[in-house]
Amino acid sequence: MKNTSGNLSVNMMAILGIAIMFISPIFPGFISVSETRISEPIPVRLATVSVVAFLAIVATTFLTLIFSLYSRRNLLSFLMGITGGLLPVAGFAVAGLSAGRLAEATGPFARVSPSSGLWLAVLAGYVIVFAAMRTLEDNKIMRGLLVLVPVVAITALLLSGLLADLSIMKEFANRRERFFSEFARHMMICAGAVGFGAIIGIPLGVFSNRSARVEKPVFAFVNFIQTVPGVALFGLLVAPLAYLSRAFPVLRQLGIGGIGWAPAMIALVLYSLLPITRNTYASLKAIPADTVEAGVGMGMSKRQVLFRIEIPISLPIVLAGVRTAAIQAVGNTAMAAIIGAGGLGVFIFQGLGQAAMDLVLLGAIPVVLLALFVDGLIQLLIGIVTPRGVLEKTDDKT
Amino acid sequence: MIKLEGITKRYDDRTLAVDNVSLEIPSNQLTVLIGPSGCGKTTTLKMINRIISPTSGKILIDGRDISTVDAKELRRGIGYVIQNIGLFPHMTVRENIATVPRLLKWEKSRTQLRLDQLLELVGLEPSVFSDKLPRELSGGQAQRVGVARALAADPPIVLMDEPFGAVDPLTRVKLQDEFVRIQKELSKTIVFVTHDIDEAIRLADRIGVMKDGKVLQYDSAEDILASPKNKFVHDFMGSDRALKRLSRRSVNEFMEQSKPLFVSKGWEQLKEVKESFVWAVDEEGKLIGWIHVSDFKEGKHLSEMLTELSDDEMLSAESTVKEALSRMLESGTMALPVIGKEKEFLGQISMYKIQEITRNG
Ligand SMILES: Nc1ncnc2c1ncn2[C@@H]1O[C@H](COP(=O)(O)OP(=O)(O)OP(=O)(O)O)[C@@H](O)[C@H]1O
Ligand SMILES: [Mg+2]
């Protein structure tokens, strides 16, 4: 794909994303309006909504195209990813700003929703960001920012009230309190799962590295856990925990039972173990014995060996495992709503039950944003703590 | 001086790696420990900086028992090049070399100055290599950085475990030559481990030959080559032992005086020549060829009898006797002229003389 003559190069994946991005504003429906919550939605073109916005989006897409032609240079590739990632955010802003006007013109119960064109822009943005990340393989800081910038922008937009007239935000407004409490719960379950996963998984990795007798059963166990589907693991834990909580009332008082947060937390901790244990193990294997001996031989103390050699080499790899575990936990926590653990999954399952798409999105969109946010943030962190010399080794070995 | 007194090392699994070794390693000299793989060279070396502690016996440095010194302090005063180099992969060349100065809390400016000095010393251009990472270096460059790192805080003692092990033979000879130059300049007390006999002979002042944890012979390089104590040492030195000895002697030492002929002057000079031939120089004393005395005929000009010499047929005073011999065999002559930097004639070395050396030692 890389063109050795001159700076121009064709990044096929970016071109694909940009092509989709060009289609999105001319698509028959950028947003849609329906007279009531259940009536047939009528598609509206972007140019109909606002000519200025249409021109601005097309022009920015052109700019992205130009950046993409120079995507062998890190900075321009980064800029391509940033404009590509912000374009759908701009699309939402336009939709939100015009929603009030459109709804008024349609009727008192009118609902305005994003439509195929806008969703295409989201897809395109995703592809472009992904293409940019691929060319920035060894710059974790830029990679992290590529994800964080659009995620923070869209979150700010959602919280700003500019989108208040969009249908999904009406759903949000109706459930504001509940939304924030479930969101907080979701975060807590994830943080708990990854936190405990790290507290258990890192030592497991360390001991596995020290002795082959520990390594075999540990990896047999964590690998096995990973093969059990999420819902099944939740289910499997219900019976024994229900039994325990009946047998020991203390547990019941603590809120530990067959359903609720306890089985969810246990399952999620178990899921976090594999990536964290495996990466800790791999990170320690990545420290050459010679390197440690050289340090000792030149008169480093145990502490100096730990802080100047072992941790700098292994930390980025351990963090890569934490990243995988965290992204996974954000998604799996949504599933945990099935056994009454709460969290954003509550809206998804409620919405599915009532066939209310907006409600499903109220749960699903924040889950996606949260997963992306966690991903970007940890990548950024890895980029900051990684010494240049071990960069190429930090990629997760899934 | 480093003194090993009855040092024995038995590992936890009962392997007897070093067996009652006593050595006196003189200061400011390069001592080579050599022997086949697994004979205990690395183990011996690592006991000197206390990475391994001996099962019995003691080691004294300048009369002080090292087990009474703080291990970290001891190590910071001993340069160490480990087998396989062991550069820190996450640090730049600069950071790698600055390890010990940093541990000793040197001032930034002093470290900086020293870094540039060291890189120059090992033949790496500071502006090019300072910020490179170990993985961006070739094997030979990494070895140089390893040596620079060991020399960083200017330690009086340097331990080197096969420092030039992992490079191709050509690069290795180049590194060895540079190292000889560095050692001439610095005169460190160096303990150098290798299993390459040619390397040992090229570098060593003294050689200790090890086998199965024991030191079989410990002598100056010349003495070991001239009179190996037993069959193992004899065989280890190789069947070209005589040639190896010649490789340690320079032409300089065995050059014979000989009066050259000035081609521009008259033929009367020939009367004084007792040999069958004579070296010929121009008016500035620069060597140009030789003249067969029997070719002489009255009235003939000397330049008409001159046989010119190619550069391959002249030796510099620094060449080794082994090289001289090789050149003689190549050109099929019994003697070759020795010249200085400006091609000025200095003397000659003959096959006869070389035989005398090899016979008498
Ligand atoms: N940590 C250890 N535990 C047990 N035995 C060891 C250990 N280290 C070395 N040995 C054994 O001690 C003996 C001497 O090893 P040493 O590393 O000193 O050899 P060496 O002469 O440096 O060999 P090489 O040229 O291959 O580097 C060998 O038989 C080796 O197997
Ligand atoms: Mg060794």
Side-chain angles (χ1 to χ4, degrees), chain B residues 97 113-123 148 151-153:
Chain B
I97 299 178
L113 216 67
R114 181 72 184 144
L115 283 172
D116 289 344
Q117 226 178 25
L118 280 165
L119 283 168
E120 304 255 354
L121 182 73
V122 298
L151 294 173

Side-chain angles (χ1 to χ4, degrees), chain B residues 31-71:
Chain B
T31 300
V32 166
L33 293 180
I34 191 167
S37 188
C39 69
K41 307 179 295 285
T42 298
T43 307
T44 306
L45 195 73
K46 284 183 184 173
M47 285 191 282
I48 298 175
N49 63 0
R50 287 186 56 190
I51 289 184
I52 294 174
S53 48
T55 313
S56 64
K58 59 181 178 180
I59 298 177
L60 309 170
I61 293 181
D62 296 332
R64 215 150 56 119
D65 184 344
I66 60 167
S67 64
T68 63
V69 186
D70 176 59

Side-chain angles (χ1 to χ4, degrees), chain B residues 86-274:
Chain B
L87 294 181
F88 304 129
H90 58 300
M91 294 185 191
T92 60
V93 165
R94 174 178 295 275
E95 290 164 337
N96 262 288
I97 299 178
T99 306
V100 179
R102 215 179 130 202
L103 291 172
L104 295 172
K105 304 201 165 59
W106 281 18
E107 300 228 336
K108 278 239 169 65
S109 53
R110 182 175 171 206
T111 309
Q112 186 58 42
L113 216 67
R114 181 72 184 144
L115 283 172
D116 289 344
Q117 226 178 25
L118 280 165
L119 283 168
E120 304 255 354
L121 182 73
V122 298
L124 296 174
E125 167 61 37
S127 62
V128 178
F129 289 95
S130 284
D131 295 320
K132 288 213 183 211
L133 289 164
R135 67 176 151 88
E136 297 163 343
L137 302 175
S138 71
Q141 290 161 352
Q143 311 251 6
R144 286 163 205 250
V145 175
V147 171
R149 184 172 70 172
L151 294 173
D154 206 11
I157 297 174
V158 183
L159 310 179
M160 311 181 93
D161 198 346
E162 303 194 24
F164 311 131
V167 289
D168 60 277
L170 269 179
T171 312
R172 183 183 308 189
V173 170
K174 186 149 180 277
L175 287 169
Q176 287 161 352
D177 286 346
E178 284 173 25
F179 189 67
V180 167
R181 169 183 60 79
I182 292 173
Q183 169 63 356
K184 248 188 203 145
E185 202 173 306
L186 305 179
S187 296
K188 301 281 182 197
T189 306
I190 298 176
V191 188
F192 190 108
V193 162
T194 182
H195 53 235
D196 174 353
I197 182 69
D198 293 312
E199 180 166 79
I201 286 162
R202 213 166 278 134
L203 304 177
D205 295 310
R206 294 181 72 81
I207 297 181
V209 181
M210 293 186 71
K211 188 196 174 213
D212 300 336
K214 291 197 176 62
V215 174
L216 300 183
Q217 184 170 3
Y218 180 54
D219 263 319
S220 73
E222 284 78 12
D223 289 349
I224 283 208
L225 284 168
S227 40
K229 254 189 195 162
N230 57 33
K231 184 160 178 345
F232 179 81
V233 178
H234 177 275
D235 292 350
F236 200 80
M237 292 302 132
S239 48
D240 59 344
R241 206 157 47 86
L243 281 179
K244 288 198 173 91
R245 281 172 66 204
L246 295 181
S247 76
R248 288 191 59 93
R249 315 294 280 269
S250 83
V251 161
N252 216 357
E253 299 172 59
F254 300 96
M255 198 168 62
E256 299 158 289
Q257 295 306 316
S258 150
K259 205 161 170 249
L261 217 61
F262 285 86
V263 175
S264 51
K265 293 187 188 156
W267 59 269
E268 289 80 6
Q269 301 171 77
L270 275 176
K271 285 181 183 157
E272 289 166 38
V273 177
K274 291 179 194 75

Side-chain angles (χ1 to χ4, degrees), chain B residues 338-355:
Chain B
V338 180
I339 53 170
K341 284 208 176 59
E342 306 291 325
K343 255 191 166 177
E344 73 274 19
F345 179 77
L346 299 176
Q348 68 165 16
I349 183 155
S350 66
M351 190 69 97
Y352 171 75
K353 188 80 189 175
I354 294 175
Q355 278 168 350

